[in-house]
Amino acid sequence: MKPSKNLLSPDNHALVLIDFEGQMAFATKSIEMATLRTNTAIIAGASKIFNVPTIVTTVAEESFSGPVFPEVEEFYPQATSGYIDRTTMNTWEDENAYKAITSTGKAKLVLAGLWTGVCIVGPALSALHEDYEVYVITDACGDVSTEAHERAIQRMTQEGVKPITSIQYLLELQRDWARQETYEAVTNLMKKYGGSYGLGIHYAHNMLKH
């Protein structure tokens, strides 16, 4: 009856949101931007609901890349979340970001951001090198082409990174619908951002009233 230790739970990992910024999004072609924004909201909302230690990091925010997606700001407002701005393309090579990530004390790290082949590959492989267990939310990442994104995911998985998706991340944290303390927040998040799945929840909740 014990779940696998390979599953994510609210208390066994940290989430790192990397460079969800306008300038990085403009050239992202491997995923529709509306879909990427929706998936970003799902994972940011999930981590907030379950109190997952979450680091938001940007690159050259004021001089080049611009502000973070509104979907990140919704759950992690800049005024209270302490975004870490960098010059390094590899988050792992920035001292402040590195300290913030490693100080969480979590053996598992979940990464998402732009672009997959640079901003995600760098910290993913670096964290693996330091014996972290690394997950990448592949549908909350994007790159300048489908080829670039897919080769980056392929490269990381060959090294041992575990690929997951945004809704999978949320549901793996919920795990049991009897967890009433998070049930309403999770289903409300899905109603807002869960596409057809969210509409199904909305339909069911309303029909059960009759």
Side-chain angles (χ1 to χ4, degrees):
M1 293 291 290
K2 290 186 178 180
S4 168
K5 293 181 180 180
N6 291 325
L7 290 171
L8 293 168
S9 65
D11 60 357
N12 72 359
H13 74 284
L15 175 68
V16 188
L17 302 177
I18 302 172
D19 303 349
F20 283 107
E21 300 171 272
Q23 180 61 38
M24 308 306 296
F26 297 154
T28 297
K29 304 299 182 186
S30 63
I31 183 172
E32 289 290 333
M33 192 48 53
T35 301
L36 177 63
R37 291 181 65 179
T38 295
N39 294 341
T40 301
I42 290 171
I43 63 173
S47 70
K48 193 70 173 180
I49 290 167
F50 290 97
N51 296 312
V52 173
T54 299
I55 294 91
V56 179
T57 183
T58 57
V59 62
E61 178 185 1
E62 294 185 358
S63 61
F64 179 72
S65 297
V68 302
F69 289 11
E71 291 76 16
V72 174
E73 178 81 18
E74 176 182 354
F75 298 101
Y76 293 99
Q78 185 167 14
T80 57
S81 299
Y83 298 173
I84 300 169
D85 196 48
R86 319 177 321 275
T87 60
T88 62
M89 286 182 277
N90 180 4
T91 295
W92 208 256
E93 295 181 55
D94 180 87
E95 183 177 2
N96 290 332
Y98 177 80
K99 287 180 178 179
I101 296 167
T102 57
S103 67
T104 64
K106 305 300 182 182
K108 299 178 187 289
L109 299 177
V110 179
L111 310 180
L114 307 175
W115 295 323
T116 321
V118 181
C119 305
I120 302 301
V121 164
L125 298 188
S126 300
L128 282 175
H129 184 70
E130 295 192 27
D131 296 324
Y132 285 88
E133 189 174 352
V134 182
Y135 299 71
V136 170
I137 304 179
T138 58
D139 66 350
C141 295
D143 213 317
V144 296
S145 68
T146 300
E147 176 80 7
H149 174 76
E150 290 181 352
R151 294 296 78 73
I153 297 298
Q154 185 179 40
R155 180 184 179 188
M156 289 187 288
T157 55
Q158 287 175 345
E159 294 288 338
V161 169
K162 297 174 173 61
I164 59 174
T165 60
S166 53
I167 292 180
Q168 180 185 1
Y169 176 69
L170 170 68
L171 298 184
E172 198 160 314
L173 298 186
Q174 176 65 25
R175 198 84 59 80
D176 186 343
W177 290 121
R179 290 179 176 168
Q180 290 299 310
E181 65 273 17
T182 52
Y183 174 85
E184 183 175 1
V186 166
T187 54
N188 283 341
L189 183 68
M190 282 292 92
K191 286 177 186 178
K192 185 174 182 180
Y193 292 111
S196 296
Y197 178 40
L199 285 175
I201 294 172
H202 181 261
Y203 174 86
H205 284 179
N206 279 272
M207 294 306 291
L208 286 172
K209 296 176 182 178
H210 297 292

